[in-house]
Amino acid sequence: MTVPKRLFVKTYGCQMNVYDSARMTEVLAPIGYEPVSTPDEADMVILNTCHIREKAAEKVYSELGRLALLKRERAAEGRKFMVAVAGCVAQAEGEEVRRRAPVVDLVLGPQAYHRLPEMVTRVTRAGGGVVQTDFPVESKFDHLPEETLTGVEGRGISSFLTIQEGCDRFCTFCVVPYTRGAEVSRPVSEIEAEARRLVALGAREITLLGQNVNAYHGLLPDGSPASLAVLVERLATIDGLQRIRYTTSHPLDMREDLIAAHRDVEALMPFLHLPVQSGSDRILAAMNRRHTVDDYRRWIDKLRAARPDIALSSDFIVGYPGERETDFEATLALVDEIGFAQAYSFKYSARPGTPAAALPDQLADEVRTARLERLNDRLKSHMLAFNRGLVGRTVDVLFERVGRREAQLVGRTPYGQWVHVPAPRALIGVVTSVVIEDAALNSLSGRLASSIAPTADFFGARA
Ligand code: 5AD
Ligand code: SF4
């Protein structure tokens, strides 16, 4: 009998890492690893890392410091403890990770996680360390077991499905083209099969993931290429799949057929994360974004014409090298003009090896911090205004899990906000009409819209 080994995976960064973590957990199941929820309970810890901004990598190294102590304690008890670093820090730093943190046994890039069992076995048998950060010729997706996990992050009523990886756009600030490599799209039939399996496991919403997901151009079974719009239309026919989302997109890849899909495909949610990064043409050009602010406006106009209630989200970088006060004010003006329902803002961080890191006019940290605060305040006021605009309205909520309060469920609106609602457990996984009663910055609350008021029994029976 094999003794079950316990695995703890900690995920940093984007949703694609969340998806990869679920897949790594699945790949290790056949050799006896079972997921646990803290490093203290584990025999193996994988840090699935992010390299997009400075702090992300720093956090990994401080976590590795803590794990070194844990490994020493285990060694004193005569027990083995394995540490792996996966993801984009692993890809970018390779051997350097083991030099800086000797506690690490395995280093593997995002394209290599199908090789984990073999790497783990090698370290267990022979000791020493293994580093695997080349881009293998075979696709990891061809070597992964079928999905079995539910209830882990990124798997459940709302599940993630990576359809595209890498990026060919080379924005000057970004490490993704170097850590994740060239853009590769998975074939349509493979994605459809995975989506069906996720629905069979209970998924009602699938978020299609890719570093530049709207550049998707996977092949159909007849060998012809399919756009993201074609893929979405096909997935929308899967029985039981009620909601489809996709993230993250580059404005230049916002094609007409995808905009039309927002009008025509009911399952495609009225929400779009379309990063603009800056409201200044000068900065957009310097970033190699290859479009103007006016182009962005036009895409938004078309999207709103196709789907008038579409909620928009964006990423912003403040303090890009050479950003003047007037450039920054142009960003604030664009924020006011578009009125984003959701947004993420980042202080520019020079990433080693990217063209922007070599520019002479890097801004002082005080300037970047002050601009970030001003932008955040502005974004928050728009987010709150959007959420408040939903108060009194009836919206469809897909319930995903129980809430903290008794007899409360938590679900999401079509626009992506979390909603807390007194409701019976039987509604988990069901799209239900909810009247929004209150709105804060990060969540909403409401009541079931059903005309029959639920009785105490209705709650008691199933909650
Ligand atoms: N500095 C700050 N933010 C960055 N992003 C990407 N690279 C950097 C960087 N060097 C942000 C962008 C991107 C998001 C995922 O992270 O806004 O859209
Ligand atoms: Fe990075 Fe996105 Fe630009 Fe690609 S499109 S280089 S992932 S910011």
Side-chain angles (χ1 to χ4, degrees):
M1 195 181 83
T2 54
V3 183
K5 292 159 266 186
R6 289 151 306 172
L7 170 70
F8 173 70
V9 186
K10 180 162 180 163
T11 310
Y12 300 81
C14 66
Q15 292 157 320
M16 298 193 61
N17 270 10
V18 173
Y19 174 88
D20 284 354
S21 292
R23 297 303 255 168
M24 282 192 274
T25 309
E26 252 153 12
V27 129
L28 288 172
I31 60 164
Y33 282 90
E34 285 178 0
V36 292
S37 50
T38 64
D40 293 317
E41 301 163 75
D43 306 300
M44 176 174 184
V45 171
I46 302 177
L47 302 184
N48 192 9
T49 62
C50 170
H51 203 236
I52 201 122
R53 285 171 294 276
E54 237 142 19
K55 285 224 178 88
E58 276 164 24
K59 280 188 204 152
V60 170
Y61 281 108
S62 66
E63 183 68 32
L64 286 172
R66 282 191 288 275
L67 291 176
L69 295 178
L70 204 55
K71 192 170 191 163
R72 225 169 292 151
E73 279 172 27
R74 294 293 172 84
E77 296 162 11
R79 286 167 62 194
K80 280 224 159 105
F81 186 67
M82 207 185 291
V83 176
V85 174
C88 294
V89 171
Q91 187 64 44
E93 304 209 353
E95 298 277 356
E96 182 61 22
V97 175
R98 273 174 50 81
R99 263 194 295 275
R100 243 181 105 176
V103 62
V104 175
D105 303 290
L106 297 173
V107 179
L108 69 154
Q111 300 310 321
Y113 60 70
H114 58 296
R115 296 197 178 162
L116 252 177
E118 158 203 332
M119 293 168 76
V120 169
T121 309
R122 234 156 82 197
V123 172
T124 319
R125 294 225 179 103
V130 185
V131 176
Q132 177 61 264
T133 52
D134 56 348
F135 287 89
V137 279
E138 81 273 11
S139 159
K140 65 182 178 195
F141 293 110
D142 294 340
H143 295 80
L144 295 172
E146 287 197 355
E147 304 68 30
T148 50
L149 292 175
T150 53
V152 298
E153 208 190 346
R155 278 290 171 75
I157 305 291
S158 177
S159 289
F160 293 152
L161 201 177
T162 292
I163 64 165
Q164 176 279 333
E165 281 193 289
C167 182
D168 295 338
R169 289 244 165 247
F170 290 93
C171 301
T172 53
F173 51 82
C174 184
V175 284
V176 166
Y178 313 100
T179 56
R180 291 274 177 161
E183 204 271 295
V184 180
S185 294
R186 295 175 70 188
V188 171
S189 55
E190 197 178 301
I191 296 166
E192 280 178 332
E194 186 166 331
R196 283 182 206 285
R197 291 193 297 262
L198 291 172
V199 171
L201 286 171
R204 294 294 168 263
E205 170 176 287
I206 290 182
T207 302
L208 305 173
L209 301 178
Q211 263 96 24
N212 187 12
V213 76
N214 58 343
Y216 176 83
H217 56 95
L219 298 182
L220 288 162
D222 69 3
S224 60
S227 63
L228 180 58
V230 169
L231 178 70
V232 164
E233 278 160 23
R234 291 177 69 121
L235 294 178
T237 64
I238 295 177
D239 249 5
L241 180 59
Q242 287 174 291
R243 293 181 161 192
I244 301 172
R245 303 177 186 274
Y246 60 93
T247 198
T248 180
S249 298
H250 191 294
L252 267 188
D253 292 302
M254 210 60 228
R255 293 171 33 169
E256 297 293 334
D257 62 345
L258 188 55
I259 295 175
H262 277 281
R263 180 190 60 220
D264 302 332
V265 182
E266 207 189 319
L268 186 58
M269 288 295 100
F271 175 86
L272 177 62
H273 181 64
L274 193 64
V276 64
Q277 314 294 359
S278 169
S280 152
D281 282 340
R282 205 174 67 84
I283 297 298
L284 287 178
M287 288 174 163
N288 191 33
R289 295 289 290 180
R290 297 193 284 151
H291 67 79
T292 62
V293 176
D294 232 19
D295 293 331
Y296 189 80
R297 277 191 193 102
R298 271 195 292 275
W299 286 306
I300 299 298
D301 288 347
K302 280 186 186 171
L303 280 156
R304 283 180 166 157
R307 182 77 210 229
D309 67 334
I310 196 162
L312 296 159
S313 165
S314 181
D315 290 338
F316 294 92
I317 295 179
V318 299
Y320 184 81
E323 184 188 69
R324 299 179 190 136
E325 177 62 23
T326 48
D327 296 312
F328 175 66
E329 279 165 12
T331 298
L332 292 180
L334 184 67
V335 165
D336 289 338
E337 183 188 326
I338 307 278
F340 293 98
Q342 183 62 254
Y344 304 88
S345 46
F346 308 104
K347 194 155 77 164
Y348 169 75
S349 126
R351 308 315 292 133
T354 59
L359 294 174
D361 36 6
Q362 305 284 327
L363 301 192
D365 190 46
E366 301 85 75
V367 177
R368 287 181 290 148
T369 304
R371 286 184 187 165
L372 184 65
E373 263 175 41
R374 283 165 68 197
L375 177 60
N376 268 338
D377 287 347
R378 197 69 66 95
L379 290 171
K380 278 184 195 162
S381 69
H382 285 286
M383 281 158 64
L384 191 58
F386 184 88
N387 288 357
R388 287 194 174 140
L390 291 175
V391 174
R393 284 184 46 195
T394 303
V395 296
D396 283 344
V397 171
L398 172 58
F399 288 116
E400 292 186 26
R401 54 181 166 82
V402 292
R404 286 220 190 94
R405 299 218 184 116
E406 218 176 304
Q408 182 194 55
L409 296 186
V410 187
R412 283 218 265 183
T413 70
Y415 314 107
Q417 301 96 335
W418 290 105
V419 194
H420 300 260
V421 183
R425 268 177 191 244
L427 290 180
I428 291 181
V430 180
V431 175
T432 312
S433 281
V434 167
V435 181
I436 304 298
E437 294 180 311
D438 207 357
L441 186 61
N442 294 315
S443 69
L444 311 173
S445 56
R447 63 177 156 82
L448 295 180
S450 125
S451 51
I452 310 157
T455 60
D457 203 34
F458 181 63
F459 286 107
R462 302 185 188 96

